[in-house]
Amino acid sequence: TAARLATQAGVEFAEPDRVVYPQLIPNDPEYPSQWHLPKISAPAAWDIITSSPQVVIAVIDSGIDSDHPDLAGRLWVNTGEIPGNGRDDDRNGYIDDVNGWNFEAGNNNIEAIPDGIDQNGDGTPDEQVNHGTLTAGLAAAAGNNGFGCVGVTWSATIMPVKVFGDDGTTFVSTVVDAMYYAARNGAFIMNLSIGAPYEDSFTPPIQEMWNRGGLTVCA
């Protein structure tokens, strides 16, 4: 109808009288300082969808604080594993990996817990202990809960895959093992916030993730 009206004499332009509405803005107190979210048009996206709990994001990092109010209750659960029985129930090679795996220590403790030790000898102990929690929050911190900051999605499932010690160093081989774990245990996305050059060893697990329909995000 608008196109037809626009062709008539005396009509400068014609357009539908559409419904407009304010973009969804969360009440999290730190949101005004999160300049990157408006930059990527997140508020416009939140008008369509705010949460995606079915999406499993593997955070390959320094572990996470699972009790953090913006992340609590968001951990991936390996339904093939029986908690605490000391057995590899799902036969994936990892015993009691109920919420992920710690490749740095070789156990199922995925928490970001400071040990007070200057592991890399630079004079600052525990300087990267919160890095994994921060990364998980950037992706999926709870939104509109009146606390802290907000993630790109307000709810996703986080698979913690710990590779870094509290001071933030590890080996490429450790990261590669973690990447394979994420790809083979149901992650939709795996995030690698790693300060290092690209190594050829990263290619096979990234390819496997892609072949399984997943996405790898690298900083």
Side-chain angles (χ1 to χ4, degrees), residues 58 60-61 92-94 97 100-106 159-163 170-185 190 192 194 201-206 208-209:
I60 301 174
D61 214 291
N92 69 348
Y94 303 94
D97 60 322
W101 192 253
N102 183 334
F103 283 86
E104 192 240 345
M159 176 192 290
V161 190
K162 188 170 181 176
V163 296
T170 194
F171 294 99
V172 169
S173 57
T174 302
V175 176
V176 168
D177 288 343
M179 293 167 71
Y180 277 122
Y181 178 90
R184 295 171 181 175
N185 286 277
M190 62 180 173
L192 300 164
I194 295 175
S201 298
F202 294 141
T203 300
I206 289 175
E208 179 163 334
M209 187 71 172

Side-chain angles (χ1 to χ4, degrees), residues 91-115:
R91 299 182 181 180
N92 69 348
Y94 303 94
I95 296 173
D96 287 338
D97 60 322
V98 177
N99 298 123
W101 192 253
N102 183 334
F103 283 86
E104 192 240 345
N107 58 39
N108 65 351
N109 183 4
I110 48 79
E111 295 290 334
I113 302 173
D115 60 12

Side-chain angles (χ1 to χ4, degrees), residues 2-211:
R4 187 171 66 251
L5 288 171
T7 64
Q8 295 183 12
V11 176
E12 184 174 349
F13 71 93
E15 64 185 10
D17 187 11
R18 302 183 190 278
V19 174
V20 296
Y21 45 85
Q23 293 182 337
L24 183 56
I25 301 299
N27 62 12
D28 304 72
E30 297 298 326
Y31 173 72
S33 66
Q34 293 184 274
W35 60 268
H36 63 285
L37 291 171
K39 187 88 170 177
I40 63 172
S41 300
W46 294 333
D47 284 331
I48 301 169
I49 185 171
T50 57
S51 299
S52 41
Q54 75 281 6
V55 174
V56 178
I57 303 173
V59 178
I60 301 174
D61 214 291
S62 62
I64 70 165
D65 176 5
S66 63
D67 292 327
H68 193 289
D70 269 337
L71 297 174
R74 307 288 186 78
L75 288 190
W76 169 75
V77 176
N78 182 356
T79 57
E81 202 70 28
I82 299 172
N85 70 350
R87 299 174 60 183
D88 180 14
D89 300 292
D90 61 358
R91 299 182 181 180
N92 69 348
Y94 303 94
I95 296 173
D96 287 338
D97 60 322
V98 177
N99 298 123
W101 192 253
N102 183 334
F103 283 86
E104 192 240 345
N107 58 39
N108 65 351
N109 183 4
I110 48 79
E111 295 290 334
I113 302 173
D115 60 12
I117 301 172
D118 182 12
Q119 297 166 336
N120 61 2
D122 69 350
T124 307
D126 306 321
E127 60 195 310
Q128 297 294 338
V129 69
N130 294 321
H131 192 271
T133 302
L134 171 63
T135 301
L138 286 169
N144 222 35
N145 66 343
F147 177 87
C149 63
V150 61
V152 176
T153 175
W154 296 2
S155 173
T157 298
I158 301 296
M159 176 192 290
V161 190
K162 188 170 181 176
V163 296
F164 296 123
D166 294 349
D167 281 349
T169 56
T170 194
F171 294 99
V172 169
S173 57
T174 302
V175 176
V176 168
D177 288 343
M179 293 167 71
Y180 277 122
Y181 178 90
R184 295 171 181 175
N185 286 277
F188 286 53
I189 299 168
M190 62 180 173
N191 184 83
L192 300 164
S193 293
I194 295 175
Y198 188 87
E199 304 288 349
D200 290 341
S201 298
F202 294 141
T203 300
I206 289 175
Q207 186 65 57
E208 179 163 334
M209 187 71 172
W210 179 262
N211 292 342

